[in-house]
Amino acid sequence: MTSNATSSGKTVASAVRDVFERIYGDPLKQLESLITATGLPVYKDPKTGALLWVDVRELRLRFTLSVNKLEKFIEGLRGGKLMYTQCRRCGAKYFPPQVDCPRCKASDVEWREVSTEGELVTWTVINVKPASFSHQGDYVVGIVKMPDGFNITAWIDADPKTLKPGMKMRLVVDRRPGEGYITYWFKPAF
Ligand SMILES: [Zn+2]
């Protein structure tokens, strides 16, 4: 991606770890001095005067999702393709793919490749990023209408000033620059 990706060459895992260290390193040091001085992680809120207890133990949340039934999606990404599913019984199309059709409850889907071009519907520039993306510069997220019959929400690799509703966008499946992580995004088709 252009200037909105990190160029540090870090993996996404190490970049996220550094961000958390930056966010929580100082407050934890302050907490340590509070406990050393008073014996308890308790202080008065400067604004309200309310007594606050700060948890000393760090809680890390990590999740693992089963992608067992989505093997074809994973294989597709590795091969530079984005895959969606279509229900063989009722014809409903799903992106992100689903293998159990919520509409007719059948579990018989066909895997198909997403078209390589779509039309930009709308977009926004993300300045305030979630913690796990805070190592990235500002980035653009948009919705692209695909000829396959659904919309895809993804990063847009372009200067937002050059974007116009309805413009043709090309789908890219590749490693996100600076992270080494295979994902998909759009860029202007010309
Ligand atoms: Zn169905």
Side-chain angles (χ1 to χ4, degrees):
M1 316 195 73
T2 52
S3 56
N4 51 19
T6 167
S7 56
S8 59
K10 283 177 182 167
T11 64
V12 65
S14 71
V16 168
R17 197 163 52 232
D18 291 351
V19 165
F20 279 99
E21 174 56 33
R22 242 188 355 260
I23 296 174
Y24 298 116
D26 278 351
L28 284 174
K29 274 184 208 122
Q30 285 168 18
L31 187 60
E32 232 165 59
S33 9
L34 184 67
I35 297 170
T36 308
T38 68
L40 279 176
V42 173
Y43 72 100
K44 275 193 175 160
D45 185 277
K47 272 188 205 151
T48 64
L51 213 52
L52 296 173
W53 183 294
V54 186
D55 201 332
V56 183
R57 327 275 165 208
E58 187 183 354
L59 176 69
R60 284 205 183 199
L61 202 58
R62 181 166 287 179
F63 59 87
T64 305
L65 298 173
S66 169
V67 289
N68 206 23
K69 290 174 163 180
L70 299 177
E71 204 180 343
K72 288 208 168 60
F73 181 69
I74 306 292
E75 276 172 17
L77 287 178
R78 286 203 184 106
K81 290 175 185 168
L82 197 59
M83 306 298 286
Y84 71 95
T85 53
Q86 180 164 24
C87 175
R88 284 202 177 96
R89 192 201 274 178
C90 76
K93 294 172 177 181
Y94 297 102
F95 187 87
Q98 300 202 47
V99 290
D100 303 305
C101 180
R103 199 163 92 178
C104 78
K105 312 292 181 219
S107 297
D108 181 19
V109 295
E110 187 176 339
W111 285 86
R112 308 180 72 168
E113 191 181 342
V114 175
S115 300
T116 51
E117 275 190 24
E119 275 180 17
L120 186 61
V121 177
T122 188
W123 66 92
T124 185
V125 181
I126 309 290
N127 310 112
V128 181
K129 286 148 275 197
S132 55
F133 281 100
S134 51
H135 57 288
Q136 299 279 356
D138 290 353
Y139 52 88
V140 184
V141 170
I143 297 174
V144 177
K145 185 175 193 288
M146 304 306 290
D148 311 290
F150 46 78
N151 293 345
I152 295 181
T153 302
W155 282 29
I156 307 287
D157 177 20
D159 179 345
K161 289 195 261 336
T162 65
L163 296 175
K164 287 184 186 69
M167 72 189 276
K168 291 256 182 268
M169 305 300 290
R170 181 176 297 277
L171 177 69
V172 183
V173 180
D174 208 343
R175 289 177 183 257
R176 181 149 31 226
E179 286 192 349
Y181 186 100
I182 301 174
T183 187
Y184 54 91
W185 64 87
F186 287 94
K187 63 176 187 183
F190 43 87

